[in-house]
Amino acid sequence: MIEAIFENSLVAKVILNTIFVSIPEELYLVMFTLIMVGEFEYWKEPECKRLINKFDYVRVFLPTIVGALLSNILINTGFNYGIYQFITPVCIFILIVITNDIFGDASAVKWIVKAFIFFMISFLTVGIFELLYIPLILYGTGLTMAQLRDSFLPYFLMSLPSRFLQYSLLLYLISRRRTLLKGRLIKNLVSNPILLFIFSLLVLSNIMFLWFVYNSIVFDKVLIAVPRLTQIFIIMCTVIFPMLNISGLLWCFYILKNKEAKDRKTASESLYKLMRDIESYTKNEKYDNIRWKLNEIGLGIEEVAKKLYKEHETK
């Protein structure tokens, strides 16, 4: 009966796809962004029992519902898929910013930049998850995306693997909320303007790359004449590429920060050793040795200062 109503009514098509297909996807985008930007800091408190409280409803559900409705209206009114794929995310992100009441805060610009980066990452994960299996379904059945969207049940069923992956990732973020929100890597990343710019550029480049490949493979079916094993190989390479270069940058950043921490620890231990030596020499009245140690202190302090200055310049 639902299928019959769906086939004969554009309004029913928009409503069904909005509720069962688009809202879960847009909710993932919104929640991923808000979790990563730190808007659920109260989750770290042991007495926190609910994931979404009443004061979260507007900032979580308004961008989700508006984005889902807009997406389906644009799809079913004949908009070019290359256009609505960008209009909907832009609208959702604007609503995320507006509904989080950050204006007037001194750190508003920094918050928006962080939110934009994490929103891009969430958008990128959606494309990666869908690219894992949708092309194989389309090529195997001979259907197009337009034909699938015209039939509610197949379209809904095709969205389920992607939703499973998306919400598995969300559950991981929620389960790790107390350690993730305190993560030094994320805090160091957003506190370094140069690295933040490079990371943002890298994520944006990967989104543009994935958008081009996604449209070519899914909508234009450029791999239709290619053997199945070759299709799978090309799709896996396409999926792995953005994951590798983004994780590679984060890993390099982690190594550099870890090296800085070790240098600071070494410098600190050197100063403590000099201090203990001076205390020992003073107690034994070995003042000539103290004079030499004072020279060593001067050199040690100079070395620490250089390292601290170098660290300051990299921020």
Side-chain angles (χ1 to χ4, degrees):
M1 182 178 178
I2 293 177
E3 187 72 15
I5 295 173
F6 177 79
E7 294 288 349
N8 297 314
S9 172
L10 177 62
V11 174
K13 181 191 296 187
V14 170
I15 292 174
L16 288 173
N17 281 342
T18 297
I19 294 173
F20 293 102
V21 180
S22 296
I23 283 181
E25 180 172 279
E26 317 307 357
L27 180 62
Y28 164 77
L29 295 174
V30 173
M31 287 298 294
F32 183 97
T33 303
L34 294 179
I35 289 172
M36 295 303 294
V37 87
E39 282 301 311
F40 293 104
E41 285 285 337
Y42 61 82
W43 284 356
K44 295 185 295 185
E45 303 300 327
E47 61 270 15
C48 177
K49 303 299 182 183
R50 301 179 62 180
L51 290 178
I52 301 178
N53 289 285
K54 291 182 179 180
F55 54 81
D56 294 319
Y57 288 170
V58 172
R59 64 177 180 172
V60 170
F61 295 119
L62 182 62
T64 297
I65 295 171
V66 171
L69 275 171
L70 179 63
S71 173
N72 282 279
I73 290 171
L74 292 177
I75 290 171
N76 289 285
T77 51
F79 259 75
N80 180 276
Y81 59 79
I83 296 176
Y84 75 71
Q85 283 177 328
F86 283 101
I87 291 178
T88 302
V90 169
C91 177
I92 293 173
F93 180 72
I94 290 173
L95 287 173
I96 288 175
V97 173
I98 292 173
T99 55
N100 271 277
D101 193 26
I102 59 168
F103 298 102
D105 193 326
S107 60
V109 174
K110 186 177 179 181
W111 190 96
I112 292 173
V113 171
K114 287 196 299 182
F116 180 67
I117 292 172
F118 291 127
F119 183 75
M120 287 195 298
I121 293 175
S122 69
F123 193 59
L124 186 65
T125 59
V126 170
I128 289 174
F129 291 154
E130 291 184 352
L131 200 56
L132 284 171
Y133 69 96
I134 288 180
L136 300 178
I137 293 176
L138 296 179
Y139 292 166
T141 59
L143 297 173
T144 64
M145 280 296 290
Q147 290 172 324
L148 275 174
R149 282 173 176 158
D150 280 336
S151 184
F152 165 69
L153 190 56
Y155 187 44
F156 168 70
L157 292 175
M158 189 183 68
S159 71
L160 293 180
S162 179
R163 298 297 171 270
F164 173 77
L165 294 172
Q166 291 165 12
Y167 282 86
S168 295
L169 179 57
L170 270 187
L171 286 173
Y172 172 77
L173 296 180
I174 292 169
S175 67
R176 300 280 294 177
R177 61 189 182 272
R178 293 183 184 176
T179 54
L180 184 70
L181 293 174
K182 296 178 182 178
R184 292 180 60 186
L185 181 62
I186 293 176
K187 291 180 180 178
N188 289 330
L189 173 65
V190 298
S191 66
N192 189 317
I194 296 176
L195 188 66
L196 189 62
F197 174 76
I198 295 173
F199 185 73
S200 304
L201 195 61
L202 181 64
V203 173
L204 190 58
S205 300
N206 278 288
I207 287 177
M208 297 303 296
F209 165 76
L210 199 66
W211 174 81
F212 173 77
V213 174
Y214 186 95
N215 287 331
S216 299
I217 294 177
V218 173
F219 289 95
D220 299 333
K221 289 191 170 183
V222 295
L223 301 180
I224 191 67
V226 176
R228 180 56 60 91
L229 288 178
T230 307
Q231 290 176 1
I232 295 173
F233 176 76
I234 293 173
I235 290 169
M236 292 306 298
C237 289
T238 302
V239 168
I240 291 172
F241 176 73
M243 296 169 63
L244 281 180
N245 60 55
I246 291 176
S247 59
L249 177 64
L250 291 175
W251 180 248
C252 291
F253 175 60
Y254 172 78
I255 291 174
L256 290 174
K257 281 295 178 182
N258 198 40
K259 184 178 181 302
E260 287 180 7
K262 287 182 178 178
D263 288 343
R264 288 196 302 269
K265 183 180 179 182
T266 301
S268 176
E269 288 175 350
S270 297
L271 287 178
Y272 275 118
K273 183 178 182 301
L274 289 171
M275 184 180 70
R276 287 194 299 268
D277 288 344
I278 288 178
E279 289 176 351
S280 174
Y281 294 145
T282 302
K283 185 177 180 180
N284 296 314
E285 297 184 354
K286 295 180 179 180
Y287 299 112
D288 288 337
N289 289 337
I290 292 176
R291 196 178 303 118
W292 286 106
K293 283 296 175 181
L294 287 174
N295 290 332
E296 287 186 36
I297 288 175
L299 294 173
I301 292 175
E302 184 180 357
E303 185 66 24
V304 172
K306 286 179 180 178
K307 289 178 179 178
L308 291 176
Y309 179 74
K310 182 180 178 181
E311 178 190 351
H312 177 73
E313 286 219 311
T314 59
K315 291 184 178 181

